[in-house]
Amino acid sequence: IRKLFKALFIKAVDEPQVLNQAINNLANRLERQAAQLSETEQLFLELRQRYTGPDIGLITLFLLNRVHLAEGDGMFAPAGTPHAYLKGNIIECMANSDNVVRVGLTSKFKDTSALIEILQYEPIPVQLLHADPASKEVIYHTSAQEFQVSRWRLDKNSERQVSSRNRPEILIITQGEVSVSWSGGMQPYHRGESMFIPAKLSSYTLGATQGSEVFRAAVPDET
C-alpha cells in the first residue's frame, strides 16, 4: 500500500501530464457508461467538474473507504490517516497542529513530499461513533487525549449547569439560541456562533430560549 500511494503521489508531482491523461481517459470511459456507474464513479465525475487538471485526489477516491454518516453519527481518524470530507455538514474537531498536509481535492497549498513522510499506510478499520439522534446528550468517546466532543440538546426555556473542571472548552451553536451565564455576567449566542470558555471559569449555565443544539469540545475526564 505504501508503494502504491507513494507512486501515485510522486506521479502527481513529477509527471502531471501523465496523471492528467489518466484522469481524462477514466472520465471519458465512465461518461460513456453513465447508466451503470457505482457511487464512487459518479462521485469521481462530479468532483472532476470542480477539480480540473491533474488532481491526485480524484484517483485516491478509489483507494479509500467511503463512509456515510447519519444524523448524530461521528467517526474518528487518527493522526496520519488520509481522509477527505466530501458532502453534507459536519462538526470537525482536531488537536492543535502545525502540520495539516493536503495533497488533492483542494484549492489550498499542497505538500506531497511532506504527506509521503507522515502518512500512516497500514489499513485500519473505520471507527464509527453511533448516537441516538433524539438523545439529549451524546459523548463521542475516542482515543484522543487532547479533546472530547459532546452534543447537547436543550428544550425551550430549559437550563443546563456545566462544570468545566477549570479546563478550557469550546462551544458552538448549531440550532436555536442559548445564553451563557456565569458569576457576574451573561452572553447570548445564536445559531452558527461559537464561544471559548476559559479555564478560570469553573462553572457556567446554558439557558435555551428555544429548542437548541450545542456541540462542546473539552479535555476528556480521564486526562
Side-chain angles (χ1 to χ4, degrees):
I1 295 177
R2 180 184 180 90
K3 291 181 179 179
L4 175 59
F5 271 95
K6 189 172 183 179
L8 284 172
F9 295 150
I10 291 176
K11 183 73 69 175
V13 174
D14 295 343
E15 301 183 64
Q17 69 282 358
V18 175
L19 176 62
N20 194 50
Q21 186 60 54
I23 291 173
N24 289 336
N25 290 342
L26 177 58
N28 292 335
R29 178 173 66 81
L30 294 179
E31 287 169 350
R32 290 195 298 271
Q33 57 185 62
Q36 310 171 41
L37 298 182
S38 68
E39 182 180 358
T40 301
E41 291 169 337
Q42 292 174 340
L43 186 58
F44 168 85
L45 291 178
E46 291 173 12
L47 290 173
R48 182 174 174 268
Q49 299 301 312
R50 180 175 178 181
Y51 301 102
T52 58
D55 193 314
I56 193 60
L58 295 171
I59 300 299
T60 57
L61 285 174
F62 298 93
L63 303 176
L64 302 179
N65 294 303
R66 185 177 62 256
V67 178
H68 295 273
L69 298 177
E71 180 184 358
D73 286 348
M75 66 169 290
F76 178 68
T81 303
H83 57 280
Y85 158 64
L86 298 174
K87 289 183 177 181
N89 294 311
I90 62 171
I91 296 293
E92 182 176 13
C93 183
M94 62 180 290
N96 187 33
S97 172
D98 63 355
N99 64 349
V100 176
V101 181
R102 303 174 181 87
V103 72
L105 300 180
T106 180
S107 58
K108 298 179 181 179
F109 174 71
K110 307 177 186 67
D111 193 338
T112 305
S113 298
L115 187 73
I116 291 173
E117 293 301 318
I118 69 172
L119 205 61
Q120 297 295 323
Y121 294 93
E122 295 76 17
I124 59 174
V126 178
Q127 183 180 350
L128 294 179
L129 309 170
H130 297 294
D132 180 359
S135 177
K136 296 296 184 182
E137 178 178 12
V138 176
I139 300 176
Y140 298 93
H141 296 283
T142 72
S143 59
Q145 298 182 352
E146 301 89 347
F147 62 85
Q148 180 173 273
V149 175
S150 304
R151 189 201 68 197
W152 296 332
R153 283 196 169 149
L154 290 81
D155 295 327
K156 182 178 179 180
N157 297 325
S158 66
E159 290 187 344
R160 184 184 183 99
Q161 307 295 323
V162 184
S163 172
S164 69
R165 297 165 294 119
N166 293 109
R167 301 181 182 192
E169 301 178 356
I170 297 174
L171 306 180
I172 182 169
I173 313 304
T174 53
Q175 291 181 26
E177 178 180 317
V178 302
S179 63
V180 178
S181 304
W182 63 96
S183 177
M186 188 276 288
Q187 179 68 41
Y189 291 90
H190 302 82
R191 179 183 179 185
E193 296 183 328
S194 61
M195 68 206 79
F196 175 73
I197 306 296
K200 68 178 182 179
L201 186 61
S202 59
S203 64
Y204 59 92
T205 301
L206 281 180
T209 57
Q210 54 184 277
S212 301
E213 180 180 71
V214 179
F215 281 84
R216 176 201 199 197
V219 180
D221 290 338
E222 59 270 18
T223 301

